[in-house]
């Protein structure tokens, strides 16, 4: 008896080993892939915090470029990526990276001063910086031909700033002005490339209030309109426009969260909305712009609340409809004839309730239940089949012996 039990035990182990082997082979292949190396930190250009929209890219042997996470664009002045566990980071990865290659970082296409060795699965805070030199390659030193002056007339304020012969602004600008309908601030960071519509170095900047802006779309109102020039000037990375509004000056029932900055496209004759950040506490709207043209804040029109119509008001009854009884009628009320009481009808017997029919479960539940049951039957059949085959083999051997 004991010998037969040992035989059955050994036969049961065979299908168990088969099942465990299948589970091991079912482990996803992706678990064997190399994990990426993530980076975040501060970023500067010529010693100044890099502006919003700065492009950061990682390159190296076996490293993939042009994919999600590499490159990334800065969304905060002077910072790339986020130290938050769930925040965006510069992701450095590849297929079959061999060893630990050196990573080279590029800021707006210029090689940064900080290389780093790739490590799988690491998250590294790394500050990046780059110096964009305006000195010619022949080493002749700085001359008037290498830098020039960008003449700015922004909302009546005259200012001259330095710009390189390639169009890179060499100092940061932030100019604010109070307009009749609000306040506007222009922010341009050092390192921004400013070119005219022909791709040449920009020589002037202008801006002023626009009292007669183009007509707004049918469902909007134009507020705080401004002209920026020269028309067609481009900025890389984009500059930042911030409009400050007064809620009391806005149309009645304005939804502040729906405010949007838009630019006027003269080629199609329409206002084009931009991605806008609204601060309802400080009453500001902010957007990044890459070219100069008329800009404005658009306010969505709000339909007036419906007014009550005379038909919705209950009319006051006239004296004729509710006459006041005279004293004589009060003292001698008219005689009333006794009312005839009709016999109470005998209630009909309640209909017998039909026996309840059990409801059929939904088809989706039946399908899921059938699927789970079929899967269980298949697994059980495989195990039982293995046991039976093993028993037959063992029985044949014992019989031959």
């Amino acid at each position: 008896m004991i010998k037969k039990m040992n035989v059955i035990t050994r036969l049961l182990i065979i299908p168990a080993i088969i099942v465990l082997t299948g589970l091991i082979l079912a482990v996803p292949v992706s678990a064997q892939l190399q994990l990426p190396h993530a980076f975040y930190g501060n970023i500067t250009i010529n010693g100044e915090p890099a502006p919003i929209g700065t492009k950061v890219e990682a390159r190296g042997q076996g490293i993939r470029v042009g994919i999600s996470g590499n490159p990334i664009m800065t969304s905060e002045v002077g910072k790339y990526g986020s130290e938050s566990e769930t925040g965006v980071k510069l992701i450095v990865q590849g297929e079959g990276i061999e060893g630990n290659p050196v990573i080279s970082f590029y800021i707006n296409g210029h090689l940064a001063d900080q290389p780093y060795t790739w490590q799988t699965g690491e998250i590294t805070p790394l500050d990046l910086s780059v110096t964009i030199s305006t000195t010619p390659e022949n080493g002749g030193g700085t001359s008037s031909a290498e830098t020039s002056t960008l003449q700015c007339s922004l909302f009546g304020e005259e200012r001259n700033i330095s710009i390189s012969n390639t169009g890179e602004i060499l100092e940061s600008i932030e100019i604010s002005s109070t307009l009749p309908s609000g306040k506007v601030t222009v922010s341009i960071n050092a390192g921004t490339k400013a070119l005219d519509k022909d791709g040449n170095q920009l020589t002037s900047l202008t801006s002023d209030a626009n009292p007669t802006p183009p007509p707004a779309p049918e469902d909007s109102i134009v507020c705080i309109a401004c002209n920026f020039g020269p028309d067609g000037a481009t900025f890389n990375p984009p500059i930042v426009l911030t409009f400050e509004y007064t809620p009391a000056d806005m149309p009645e029932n304005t939804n502040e969260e729906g405010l949007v900055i838009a630019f006027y496209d003269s080629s199609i004759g329409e206002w084009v909305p931009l991605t806008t950040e609204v601060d309802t506490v400080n009453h500001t709207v902010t957007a990044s712009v890459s070219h100069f043209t008329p800009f404005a804040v658009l306010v969505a029109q709000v339909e007036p609340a419906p007014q009550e119509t005379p038909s919705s008001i209950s009319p006051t009854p006239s004296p004729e409809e509710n006459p006041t009884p005279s004293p004589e009628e009060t003292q001698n009320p008219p005689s009333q004839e006794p009312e005839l009481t009709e016999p109470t009808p005998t209630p009909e017997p309640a209909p017998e309730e039909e026996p309840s029919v059990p409801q059929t479960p939904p088809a989706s539940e039946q399908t899921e239940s059938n699927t789970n049951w079929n899967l269980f039957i298949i697994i059980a059949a495989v195990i039982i089949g293995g046991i039976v085959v093993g028993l037959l083999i063992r029985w044949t051997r014992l019989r031959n012996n």
Side-chain angles (χ1 to χ4, degrees):
M1 181 66 179
I2 296 175
K3 184 176 181 180
K4 290 183 178 180
M5 291 294 294
N6 292 336
V7 171
I8 295 175
T9 302
R10 288 197 295 270
L11 292 176
L12 288 175
I13 293 175
I14 295 174
I17 294 174
I18 295 173
V19 173
L20 291 175
T21 303
L23 293 175
I24 294 173
L25 294 177
V27 174
V29 179
S30 60
Q32 304 174 7
L33 297 179
Q34 296 168 311
L35 297 176
H37 193 166
F39 292 88
Y40 68 92
N42 300 321
I43 180 171
T44 58
I45 299 176
N46 292 339
E48 297 291 335
I52 296 174
T54 299
K55 178 181 177 181
V56 186
E57 184 177 69
R59 305 176 189 173
Q61 184 177 2
I63 295 172
R64 295 184 63 189
V65 180
I67 61 175
S68 177
N70 186 24
I72 62 173
M73 306 294 285
T74 59
S75 59
E76 184 178 353
V77 175
K79 293 183 180 296
Y80 76 99
S82 171
E83 61 182 350
S84 171
E85 293 183 359
T86 58
V88 175
K89 294 177 176 59
L90 179 64
I91 303 299
V92 184
Q93 58 185 325
E95 297 179 358
I97 296 179
E98 298 180 0
N100 301 103
V102 175
I103 305 171
S104 298
F105 298 91
Y106 287 80
I107 302 174
N108 284 342
H110 298 274
L111 180 63
D113 300 329
Q114 295 80 18
Y116 203 88
T117 302
W118 185 85
Q119 300 288 339
T120 179
E122 294 293 327
I123 300 177
T124 303
L126 178 66
D127 294 342
L128 300 177
S129 63
V130 66
T131 301
I132 303 175
S133 176
T134 58
T135 304
E137 296 180 357
N138 58 17
T142 303
S143 66
S144 58
E146 300 161 16
T147 61
S148 57
T149 299
L150 177 61
Q151 298 178 348
C152 301
S153 177
L154 302 176
F155 303 105
E157 180 176 341
E158 302 294 334
R159 183 172 176 179
N160 294 332
I161 61 174
S162 298
I163 186 172
S164 72
N165 57 350
T166 58
E168 294 179 1
I169 295 177
L170 303 179
E171 56 183 293
S172 298
I173 310 170
E174 183 170 307
I175 297 178
S176 299
S177 180
T178 301
L179 305 178
S181 55
K183 183 179 179 180
V184 62
T185 301
V186 181
S187 300
I188 306 176
N189 289 307
T192 301
K193 179 169 284 190
L195 305 175
D196 60 19
K197 62 181 180 180
D198 298 321
N200 300 319
Q201 168 200 334
L202 200 61
T203 58
S204 65
L205 289 176
T206 61
S207 64
D208 55 14
N210 186 358
T212 57
E218 295 181 358
D219 57 348
S220 302
I221 300 173
V222 175
C223 297
I224 322 179
C226 300
N227 287 328
F228 291 89
D231 191 46
T234 61
F235 302 92
N236 183 24
I239 66 175
V240 179
L241 292 183
T242 301
F243 291 88
E244 183 176 342
Y245 62 92
T246 303
D249 295 337
M250 292 292 172
E252 188 177 359
N253 299 324
T254 293
N255 177 18
E256 296 184 28
E257 294 182 354
L259 297 177
V260 64
I261 296 177
F263 71 90
Y264 188 74
D265 189 341
S266 58
S267 63
I268 59 176
E270 294 180 1
W271 289 97
V272 180
L274 297 170
T275 301
T276 305
E277 180 180 349
V278 181
D279 185 346
T280 57
V281 176
N282 298 313
H283 308 303
T284 61
V285 287
T286 305
S288 298
V289 301
S290 58
H291 66 288
F292 265 178
T293 187
F295 288 89
V297 177
L298 298 186
V299 182
Q301 289 184 348
V302 179
E303 296 182 0
Q307 299 180 354
E308 294 184 354
T309 58
S311 60
S312 64
I313 304 175
S314 301
T316 304
S318 61
E320 296 179 359
E321 295 178 357
N322 297 312
T324 304
S326 62
E328 296 178 358
E329 293 177 350
T330 304
Q331 295 177 0
N332 301 316
S335 60
Q336 298 180 354
E337 297 180 0
E339 296 181 357
L340 299 178
T341 304
E342 297 182 359
T344 304
T346 303
E348 297 180 0
E352 296 182 0
E353 296 182 357
E354 297 180 359
S356 61
V357 180
Q359 296 182 355
T360 304
S364 59
E365 295 182 5
Q366 291 182 357
T367 303
E368 182 178 357
S369 177
N370 293 337
T371 301
N372 295 335
W373 180 247
N374 293 337
L375 181 60
F376 175 78
I377 292 175
I378 293 172
I379 295 175
V382 171
I383 295 175
I384 294 173
I387 294 173
V388 171
V389 171
L391 289 173
L392 290 175
I393 295 173
R394 186 62 180 176
W395 175 258
T396 302
R397 292 179 178 177
L398 291 174
R399 187 175 179 181
N400 293 333
N401 294 333

